[in-house]
């Protein structure tokens, strides 16, 4: 499954759960998504290509390690609230 770069990702593992047996990439994504983050943010923070992060997130979601919240688009129109949040974030940079 291909996720939108603005899709939000959250970890479903508790901070007390042992994740040391997971790959370093999985561990990093779980740590980052203890706070909800977008796919694009995860890609930037890990300094990994967006495509690579999308594959990792899809694998992790299928294993039940994270939850992905896809944006809802009405008839192909972007969500105005989402666009305003993106613009606000860009202005803070």
């Amino acid at each position: 499954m291909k996720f939108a770069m603005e899709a939000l990702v959250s970890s479903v593992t508790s901070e007390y759960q042992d994740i040391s047996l997971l790959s370093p990439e999985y561990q990093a994504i779980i740590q980052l998504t203890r706070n909800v983050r977008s796919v694009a943010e995860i890609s930037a923070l890990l300094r990994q290509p967006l495509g690579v992060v999308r594959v990792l997130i899809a694998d992790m979601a299928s294993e039940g390690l994270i939850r992905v919240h896809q944006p809802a688009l009405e008839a192909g129109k972007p969500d105005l609230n989402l666009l305003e949040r993106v613009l606000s974030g860009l202005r803070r940079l």
Side-chain angles (χ1 to χ4, degrees):
M1 175 176 234
K2 185 174 180 180
F3 299 110
M5 67 181 189
E6 68 271 10
L8 299 177
V9 182
S10 59
S11 174
V12 295
T13 60
S14 78
E15 63 184 276
Y16 304 108
Q17 188 172 350
D18 182 19
I19 60 172
S20 65
L21 297 176
L22 300 174
S23 73
E25 295 84 6
Y26 277 27
Q27 290 179 37
I29 291 172
I30 287 171
Q31 291 296 332
L32 287 173
T33 58
R34 296 220 189 273
N35 296 315
V36 177
R37 296 189 188 270
S38 71
V39 173
E41 283 180 289
I42 296 166
S43 175
L45 291 168
L46 292 178
R47 297 175 191 230
Q48 293 290 325
L50 187 58
V52 170
V53 171
R54 281 180 170 150
V55 169
L56 290 169
I57 288 172
D59 291 346
M60 292 177 73
S62 69
E63 292 178 33
L65 297 170
I66 58 173
R67 199 171 284 135
V68 181
H69 313 276
Q70 290 277 51
L73 299 177
E74 294 179 29
K77 297 178 186 174
D79 179 16
L80 184 59
N81 192 16
L82 171 65
L83 293 175
E84 288 173 353
R85 288 193 327 257
V86 170
L87 183 59
S88 174
L90 289 172
R91 286 183 177 142
R92 286 186 295 221
L93 292 178

